[in-house]
Amino acid sequence: MIQGCGSALAAVDGSLYTTQTTTLAHSPAMADTADTANVIIRPPLAWGLAVLAGLALNLLVPWPFLPADIPAGWIGLLVFVVALALFAWAIITMTKAGSNVPTNRPTTTIVESGPYRFTRNPIYLGMFLGLIGFAIAFDSLWLLVMLVLFAFLIRYGVVAREETYLDRKFGDVYRGYRSRVRRWL
């Protein structure tokens, strides 16, 4: 929607001429037709903030949840490595299919191979599992609290918007994929 138009004088090589200027408004109606999901936060940023907040809270007020005699660091590292492998597999699969990974770029195709055969959101599952790995490695219940908040934010501020966008953009192709593959597991 055009919010305002105006004229301006500009000098080029010493001569004056009139140009038209236009300001576009970013209305909700425009956002609905944009070729992105218009998520409320970029998932890697949300994940990083959740990790930093959990670690900071753990430094201020430690809140352990595991028995002292288990090798939490090694178990957490193992969980994190599995998370990283899932995350990387999902990104490689999407990139090889020719689609964009960042949520602020258009999706070009529905990817149904690799981890996308089992879940529609393997990247976010990798992020969830990574937070669990950190929670175990640092023996911090705070990181699990941040996981709950992060999961809520991803589910309602990212995935819900992505699903609406994909349904609008790909129609029956996406609806068929959605009917065959679960959102999470």
Side-chain angles (χ1 to χ4, degrees):
M1 165 175 160
I2 296 176
Q3 188 177 35
C5 293
S7 298
L9 293 176
V12 176
D13 296 333
S15 61
L16 293 177
Y17 65 94
T18 303
T19 61
Q20 293 293 318
T21 59
T22 303
T23 305
L24 295 178
H26 294 287
S27 69
M30 282 186 71
D32 286 345
T33 60
D35 195 15
T36 68
N38 293 312
V39 300
I40 64 171
I41 189 169
R42 301 280 307 276
L45 176 61
W47 188 83
L49 291 172
V51 169
L52 290 174
L55 291 174
L57 285 167
N58 195 55
L59 283 173
L60 294 171
V61 183
W63 193 8
F65 68 101
L66 297 170
D69 60 340
I70 70 163
W74 288 108
I75 295 170
L77 178 63
L78 178 63
V79 171
F80 186 80
V81 167
V82 169
L84 191 59
L86 175 59
F87 184 80
W89 184 26
I91 289 173
I92 289 167
T93 302
M94 186 171 285
T95 303
K96 281 185 178 179
S99 197
N100 294 307
V101 175
T103 54
N104 63 343
R105 308 249 342 253
T107 300
T108 60
T109 188
I110 299 297
V111 180
E112 297 188 64
S113 59
Y116 295 93
R117 292 174 296 175
F118 311 108
T119 174
R120 296 194 314 261
N121 296 289
I123 292 174
Y124 304 139
L125 282 177
M127 290 176 159
F128 297 159
L129 198 55
L131 262 170
I132 292 169
F134 275 144
I136 294 168
F138 288 96
D139 191 13
S140 172
L141 208 51
W142 287 117
L143 282 164
L144 292 180
V145 169
M146 292 301 114
L147 170 64
V148 171
L149 297 174
F150 174 71
F152 184 83
L153 181 65
I154 291 297
R155 169 60 185 91
Y156 295 102
V158 177
V159 171
R161 290 167 180 248
E162 287 178 339
E163 289 175 346
T164 300
Y165 163 68
L166 294 172
D167 186 67
R168 182 179 69 240
K169 182 168 182 172
F170 296 102
D172 288 339
V173 171
Y174 175 69
R175 286 189 286 275
Y177 173 64
R178 187 179 64 206
S179 71
R180 290 186 306 278
V181 178
R182 296 171 62 100
R183 179 181 289 137
W184 301 114
L185 292 175

